[in-house]
Amino acid sequence: MSVSQKNHYRPNFHFAPSDGWVNDPNGLFYLDGVWHLYFQYYPHAPEHGPMHWGHATSRDLVHWEEQPIALFPDASRSIFSGSIVVDAQNTAGFGAAEAERAEGAVPPVVAIYTAHDAAKAKSGGDAALAAETQAIAYSLDGGTRWTHYEANPVLPNPGLRDFRDPKVSWDAERGRWLMVIAAGDCVHFYTSPNLKDWAFLSEFGAQIGAHGGVWECPDFFSMKVEKVHGEPPPPDAEEKWVLLVSLNPGGPNGGSATQYFVGDFDGTKFTPDKQFTAPPNHKKNAAKQIVGKPLNNPTVLETICSPYAWLDWGRDNYASVLFNNVPDGRRVMIGWMSNWDYAKKLPTSAEGWLGQMTLPRQLILAKTSVSGYVIKSHLPSEFGGDLDPTRKIRRSGTLKANGPLAQVGIAPITTLIESGEIDLTRAIMRIKIRQMSPMGSYRLVFCNEQGERLEILQHNAVPGTPVIVNRHSAGEGDFSQNFAGPVIAAPIVPVEEQGLCCSETNFMIILDKTSAEIFCNGGERAITVLFFPNWPYTTLLYSSDVAGSSYAIEVEEIAL
Ligand code: FRU
């Protein structure tokens, strides 16, 4: 296979493997200036074969270097998803505690993963109820070479077909390890003094939250609530606990997605705030019901006040989990940029690789009077989220024309970025749209001369109506019926702290060759989508059906 064939769809700045298959991020941790990303990996073909843990490292969260494979499957078990902790006090006894370590020696790091026995899982019956157990492995060189613990499993299966994806972190308040693990369509909490002996604490999830599919890849952590928009919370800020749960299928726009709950944890039990509790067995596909309907429609209001909080409303951010051991306490996350609805069919498989990660995202917990607690997604500062004033294009204007919402190539349409001005396969942009009449529509179109286009639009630009992303004609899409299909919709809620006027929507959009990460209204809504244009997008168009619609855009190329 030639280099160009192999790289036609290869992202410019998102992590993807050189060969083989990738799904969930695993074992994210930070140590001594290095960010470690492990991932579900099958190196021999672009398919979900017996799972390994691949490994990549970064010093800046932007550039990733593939490392040797960390964990290998054997004849009876795959290495499914899990986490890694830095065992600084050597609680597991695999290395040495801080005080006893030689100068410069790294602390032991311990991986907690699901050992998945595919034969048992397929056999059905009772054997399937023991197919997934939790095991550990350790590394004494900071995460490169690993040894499996000889007395695995450390947590046997309690009799569930799905019992996997342990996320372990240090509970500093209680001086012990805390595990959250997917258990059927609930999660279980466990605790341990030494990563080897685990005691059950509680179950969470029955009758709460979205249950359209199996629960997977949970994460559980505390967060201080932001007091002033854009500023780190002060030490006395209110603290809440956040539970992330990936769900497949049953996402707001179909297939895989990650929901979150905000609440309190008493050391045993997690209690979500009232706003996050849901009626039993509520399986409605919320977003699809509200497309095009005005804000005062009861279904819309119900959706906006929905107890289901989605970390990302796009189709392509799944199994998101956070880095452990981040020294400044920031909550930084990476997700798998795909969806089980079509992950195995993506056209990159013809290039010998399949699967990529989202950019790292910093999560912020805010409290708004409209939505209560909300998790906002931001680009971490390492990424240079603040646009460099010397390298950016900046434009603003007001549309004079008025008329029906334009198709590409038909007036009224304004070109915000022209072919050749900036490389739209590695661009970061901020766009503000203000509609003088909130009952008007607008559309942003990324396109190429061949007519392939990705559209972002809003009918009636009042807060509450959804932002819609349409990738129907974005490029190759017929590889799976599930891919190009319906539009992707995310209801927008006003962010009153930002002083938004009622007809304003703001976006940060990060564009790679085959993906857009769209953060709306200060990151309150994230929408991540893949697309596969045959030619790169070169142009950004803007149209609106109301006179006086104004825009302001700043865009720069990401320095790679
Ligand atoms: C989520 C998931 C996990 C599992 C892994 C297997 O995408 O299904 O639950 O551990 O992928 O690759």
Side-chain angles (χ1 to χ4, degrees):
M1 188 178 287
S2 76
V3 172
S4 61
Q5 275 173 319
K6 211 172 164 199
N7 293 328
H8 179 64
Y9 286 135
R10 180 170 289 285
N12 282 334
F13 56 95
H14 286 77
F15 176 77
S18 51
D19 287 290
W21 161 281
V22 159
N23 58 293
D24 315 350
N26 297 145
L28 307 179
F29 77 100
Y30 175 91
L31 184 63
D32 295 341
V34 180
W35 300 87
H36 292 263
L37 161 66
Y38 300 78
F39 43 86
Q40 289 288 280
Y41 187 39
Y42 184 61
H44 306 300
E47 61 194 48
H48 189 258
M51 282 292 113
H52 304 52
W53 274 23
H55 183 201
T57 53
S58 173
R59 292 197 161 266
D60 59 5
L61 284 176
V62 182
H63 302 92
W64 293 94
E65 221 176 285
E66 255 180 278
Q67 302 293 342
I69 293 173
L71 297 173
F72 291 81
D74 63 23
S76 67
R77 48 144 189 62
S78 273
I79 316 287
F80 269 19
S81 288
S83 47
I84 290 178
V85 294
V86 177
D87 189 12
Q89 293 313 322
N90 194 32
T91 63
F94 293 131
E98 200 161 7
E100 287 123 43
R101 277 199 301 274
E103 173 101 16
V106 288
V109 293
V110 179
I112 308 93
Y113 62 86
T114 298
H116 175 89
D117 185 328
K120 277 190 188 163
K122 279 197 199 103
S123 72
D126 286 352
L129 303 181
E132 296 188 326
T133 56
Q134 315 317 315
I136 59 179
Y138 59 93
S139 166
L140 302 178
D141 67 358
T144 306
R145 278 170 300 142
W146 291 83
T147 307
H148 291 280
Y149 175 47
E150 70 282 359
N152 278 329
V154 291
L155 182 55
N157 191 307
L160 293 164
R161 210 171 63 86
D162 300 296
F163 183 58
R164 59 176 176 269
D165 311 336
K167 176 66 191 255
V168 176
S169 55
W170 181 246
D171 179 354
E173 197 181 329
R174 297 162 193 93
R176 58 189 196 172
W177 299 104
L178 182 62
M179 177 197 290
V180 61
I181 182 168
D185 68 347
C186 291
V187 297
H188 286 176
F189 294 101
Y190 289 82
T191 183
S192 171
N194 57 11
L195 301 166
K196 294 172 176 165
D197 305 300
W198 290 94
F200 177 78
L201 288 174
S202 62
E203 178 178 284
F204 172 83
Q207 314 277 305
I208 297 174
H211 282 274
V214 67
W215 283 20
E216 300 184 313
C217 300
D219 202 344
F220 189 56
F221 47 91
S222 62
M223 283 187 93
K224 297 253 186 212
V225 181
E226 178 183 64
K227 271 193 171 168
V228 180
H229 174 70
E231 283 181 20
D236 68 338
E238 182 190 13
E239 190 172 68
K240 301 296 282 185
W241 281 80
V242 175
L243 174 67
L244 306 183
V245 180
S246 284
L247 170 78
N248 179 56
N253 283 290
S256 324
T258 303
Q259 60 182 324
Y260 67 85
F261 305 86
V262 179
D264 297 304
F265 181 59
D266 64 5
T268 303
K269 207 169 163 284
F270 172 64
T271 310
D273 275 50
K274 208 157 166 271
Q275 79 182 95
F276 292 95
T277 57
N281 301 323
H282 189 96
K283 289 186 184 174
K284 278 190 238 162
N285 188 339
K288 293 220 179 80
Q289 299 169 28
I290 64 173
V291 176
K293 291 183 182 154
L295 178 61
N296 58 5
N297 178 297
T299 317
V300 176
L301 288 172
E302 187 198 319
T303 303
I304 294 162
C305 304
S306 164
Y308 306 146
W310 300 101
L311 203 53
D312 195 311
W313 287 73
R315 296 267 276 149
D316 298 300
N317 181 359
Y318 191 57
S320 295
V321 283
L322 269 60
F323 282 89
N324 271 333
N325 205 44
V326 178
D328 55 12
R330 282 182 305 163
R331 302 309 191 193
V332 182
M333 163 190 111
I334 290 185
W336 173 42
M337 205 190 250
S338 196
N339 191 313
W340 282 115
D341 262 4
Y342 42 71
K344 295 179 178 173
K345 297 188 174 154
L346 297 183
T348 69
S349 64
E351 303 181 12
W353 64 275
L354 197 59
Q356 56 182 292
M357 297 298 168
T358 68
L359 291 184
R361 295 179 187 177
Q362 185 179 345
L363 302 184
I364 312 278
L365 181 60
K367 192 174 187 182
T368 69
S369 61
V370 177
S371 324
Y373 295 103
V374 174
I375 291 189
K376 301 194 286 190
S377 299
H378 284 199
L379 268 190
S381 53
E382 284 84 346
F383 211 84
D386 294 325
L387 298 179
D388 175 351
T390 59
R391 288 198 297 121
K392 75 180 163 216
I393 294 183
R394 191 180 222 154
R395 302 212 166 112
S396 59
T398 302
L399 286 196
K400 294 194 186 71
N402 196 359
L405 190 60
Q407 301 298 312
V408 172
I410 302 171
I413 222 159
T414 300
T415 304
L416 300 190
I417 298 171
E418 276 181 277
S419 176
E421 273 187 309
I422 209 150
D423 183 349
L424 285 180
T425 69
R426 52 189 191 93
I428 175 167
M429 59 188 71
R430 291 182 203 278
I431 304 177
K432 267 189 197 174
I433 304 287
R434 180 170 298 186
Q435 295 288 78
M436 295 322 287
S437 158
M439 296 320 283
S441 310
Y442 69 86
R443 186 184 297 242
L444 290 159
V445 183
F446 295 97
C447 56
N448 56 32
E449 280 174 12
Q450 290 75 13
E452 294 174 327
R453 60 187 195 267
L454 176 78
E455 301 185 341
I456 301 174
L457 57 138
Q458 222 180 345
H459 297 296
N460 303 332
V462 290
T465 53
V467 161
I468 291 171
V469 180
N470 185 352
R471 63 180 174 187
H472 186 263
S473 305
E476 228 179 306
D478 51 9
F479 51 84
S480 159
Q481 272 188 334
N482 291 331
F483 183 79
V487 293
I488 294 159
I492 294 295
V493 177
V495 190
E496 70 271 38
E497 291 89 341
Q498 291 178 303
L500 292 182
C501 99
C502 74
S503 60
E504 184 173 306
T505 306
N506 68 53
F507 297 96
M508 177 185 245
I509 302 175
I510 302 126
L511 276 182
D512 201 327
K513 258 195 232 172
T514 59
S515 66
E517 293 174 88
I518 304 166
F519 301 130
C520 307
N521 286 354
E524 259 200 33
R525 287 289 180 270
I527 309 172
T528 303
V529 288
L530 285 173
F531 48 84
F532 296 95
N534 290 292
W535 299 268
Y537 293 148
T538 53
T539 304
L540 172 58
L541 305 174
Y542 173 58
S543 71
S544 171
D545 61 359
V546 286
S549 165
S550 70
Y551 61 88
I553 174 166
E554 294 177 345
V555 49
E556 80 171 79
E557 268 174 37
I558 294 171
L560 296 173

